[in-house]
Structures are given as C-alpha cells and as structure tokens.
Amino acid sequence: MIHFIVASHGPLAQALLESSRMVYGELPHVQAVTLDEQRGIEGFKQDFAAVMTLAREGADGVLVLCDMQSGTPWNVACYYAFSPDCVPPVAVVAGVNFPMLLLSDEVAPLIDVHAAAALLLEMTQPTLIKAEPVSSLTSDDF
C-alpha cells in the first residue's frame, strides 16, 4: 500500500484534502503538510518529519505530491527520497492538483512507490486541458 503526503506553500495542501472529502470522501492514506510564514522553513521541516512518521506506518512506500518543483516542500521531500536509509522508499512529484489527489486512491494499492508515481503522472496528464468552444451542437433527441 502506498501512502501519500500533499505538501505545499500555504494552505493549498489542506484545501485539496478538504475538497476531496466533499467530492470523493475520505482518503485515509493521505496526509497534508503546509509551509506557512509563521512557522517558516524550520517549522515546516519539523511538521514534515511528523507527517512522514505517520505516513510510513504500514506503508510499502510514501509518495509526496508537491505544489511545485524546487520549492521548500519539494526540497524537504527530496531529502527523504534520496536518503539511502529511508524506509519505506519515498518518491516525489511536483504539480499536485485536484484530479491527481483523487486519482491517488487508484494507485494506493500498489507496492512499488516509483511505479505508483509514474502511473499517477500518466493518469493525471489527460486531466490538464484547455477549454474550447463546442464546434457543433449535438441533439439530445434519441
């Protein structure tokens, strides 16, 4: 089983998790951690370590979904992902969005966290679209 951490600058991670409860229901394998101005980077590192401890319990791997590459949440998550002593293994992806969070439930049963990360990215890619006007009207007559 893969467990997930959503990590973001500001309240995005918590807001995504709260929104997922409204639309989908509980995602018990997901934890949120946020970087805020009051606690700063050192506070975030402490919060992340505490959430990582929870996420590791009973997991075959932990997949961290960050808001962006190279920010503090990403850098802290990569510290764990690249640590040879980190058990279970950790993978990190950037660009978390609402569909990605909802789709995490689909890959949670996997055992290989790196395969789960690749599959989640593959599944999320088609959800990134630009709205286009409808070129023809379809009749609702059967």
Side-chain angles (χ1 to χ4, degrees):
M1 170 74 68
I2 304 300
H3 292 179
F4 298 83
I5 297 173
V6 182
S8 69
H9 296 83
L12 177 64
Q14 191 61 42
L16 285 170
L17 198 51
E18 289 173 16
S19 296
S20 72
R21 287 187 196 108
M22 182 177 68
V23 172
Y24 189 81
E26 287 296 321
L27 292 169
H29 56 276
V30 180
Q31 306 281 329
V33 62
T34 61
L35 169 63
D36 64 40
E37 292 180 80
Q38 290 75 32
R39 295 208 17 93
I41 293 172
E42 291 308 313
F44 177 80
K45 288 178 181 179
Q46 293 170 2
D47 294 345
F48 191 92
V51 170
M52 179 61 78
T53 298
L54 292 173
R56 285 176 167 162
E57 292 179 18
D60 294 302
V62 177
L63 180 48
V64 184
L65 310 176
C66 293
D67 56 354
M68 62 182 279
Q69 182 181 6
S70 300
T72 296
W74 169 273
N75 294 337
V76 172
C78 285
Y79 169 81
Y80 289 87
F82 303 146
S83 172
D85 300 327
C86 191
V87 176
V90 174
V92 183
V93 300
V96 66
N97 61 31
F98 196 46
M100 180 184 284
L101 180 57
L102 298 178
L103 289 166
S104 71
D105 205 39
E106 299 290 320
V107 300
L110 299 178
I111 294 171
D112 181 338
V113 70
H114 299 288
L119 181 57
L120 187 59
L121 287 171
E122 180 182 323
M123 292 168 58
T124 303
Q125 185 64 39
T127 71
L128 304 173
I129 60 171
K130 178 183 175 288
E132 297 288 341
V134 177
S135 59
S136 65
L137 297 176
T138 57
S139 171
D140 58 356
D141 294 336
F142 294 100

